[in-house]
Amino acid sequence: MIVGEVLGLLGVGVAAGVVSTVVSLASIVSYPALLAFGLPPLTANVTNTVALLFTGLGAAFGSRPELAGQGPRVLRLGWLTALGGATGAFLLLVTPSETFEQIAPWLIGAASLLLVRPPRGELHSEHGLLMRCALFAVAIYVGYFGAAGGILMFAVLSAMLEGGPAKLNALKNVLSGLANAVAALGFALFGPVDWGAAAPLAAGFLVGGWLGPKIARRLPGQSLRYLAAACGLAVAIKLGYDAYTT
């Protein structure tokens, strides 16, 4: 890759990492950018997932105050999201790329609409079967594509657990990161990863993931949420047009 492309992907990674930890929408920023750099849809998706691993690392480091004392909870729920991420990755690898191109716009559109009015649930125990099944299903989505998967995971965690938004958001970042990490490992071994694009994007994700929690502590983020939703819907319409008219 030329220097301009490397710097461009680095900048995209920083922006997407911040968006990921604040409004859980990294893929709506980074996935279209990879398409714009010429990667095919499936290659862009798996490359994005591998690079996203570093958002989780940066977010975990930047969220240390909110994660204090939550280690046991991460261990109790982390294995479930990791298993879900592996399942989602497997489904993506065995799904024909043409199918993914047709599904992606619907996933992005639905995820963007969830930003406008995130689902809310009643408080349940983290040990309840229903909530654990919901968490597992969201982790599958994170491993398969993941755009706004953090919004879904935040909603499930809010229904499962008591605690302030900042603590739940930090837990969401870690659990999403675990699901993404397992999916990334599968893609690295068996998927068509473009490593030249993944490296600068991952570096940007690491920085953005570290910066995001600092911003989330200080900003309500509603304006950014609506802006991201509008951009996501625009991307969904564009990808849908390309998928269904060519």
Side-chain angles (χ1 to χ4, degrees):
M1 301 188 74
I2 63 175
V3 175
E5 292 176 329
V6 170
L7 293 177
L9 285 172
L10 181 64
V12 167
V14 173
V18 171
V19 170
S20 174
T21 52
V22 177
V23 293
S24 305
L25 209 60
S27 294
I28 285 184
V29 176
S30 54
Y31 174 70
L34 290 171
L35 294 179
F37 277 98
L39 275 65
L42 183 61
T43 301
N45 186 39
V46 299
T47 300
N48 185 61
T49 299
V50 170
L52 269 171
L53 169 63
F54 290 84
T55 298
L57 294 175
F61 185 77
S63 301
R64 286 176 297 172
E66 290 81 9
L67 291 172
Q70 295 207 73
R73 178 169 286 162
V74 170
L75 292 176
R76 287 196 300 271
L77 301 178
W79 70 269
L80 191 62
T81 59
L83 182 60
T87 303
F90 172 77
L91 290 175
L92 179 62
L93 289 175
V94 299
T95 301
S97 60
E98 293 80 8
T99 301
F100 174 76
E101 291 178 36
Q102 295 178 347
I103 291 175
W106 298 100
L107 293 177
I108 295 175
S112 301
L113 290 175
L114 284 173
L115 282 176
V116 179
R117 190 173 182 179
R120 298 182 181 274
E122 298 178 355
L123 188 65
H124 297 280
S125 167
E126 66 179 274
H127 303 289
L129 179 60
L130 179 62
M131 289 293 97
R132 285 180 170 253
C133 288
L135 191 64
F136 179 70
V138 170
I140 292 176
Y141 173 73
V142 170
Y144 184 81
F145 185 56
I151 292 289
L152 296 173
M153 188 165 290
F154 187 83
V156 171
L157 292 174
S158 297
M160 292 174 67
L161 308 169
E162 294 180 337
K167 291 190 69 172
L168 290 177
N169 188 62
L171 181 62
K172 175 266 296 181
N173 287 333
V174 172
L175 294 180
S176 298
L178 289 171
N180 194 81
V182 177
L185 177 61
F187 293 152
L189 294 175
F190 305 110
V193 178
D194 187 321
W195 293 104
L201 188 63
F205 276 144
L206 182 64
V207 175
W210 174 73
L211 290 173
K214 300 179 183 299
I215 298 173
R217 295 187 191 111
R218 295 170 173 81
L219 299 176
Q222 292 302 317
S223 59
L224 181 59
R225 181 188 297 275
Y226 293 134
L227 176 61
C231 293
L233 286 174
V235 170
I237 292 171
K238 175 62 167 63
L239 293 179
Y241 178 82
D242 292 342
Y244 289 96
T245 60
T246 57

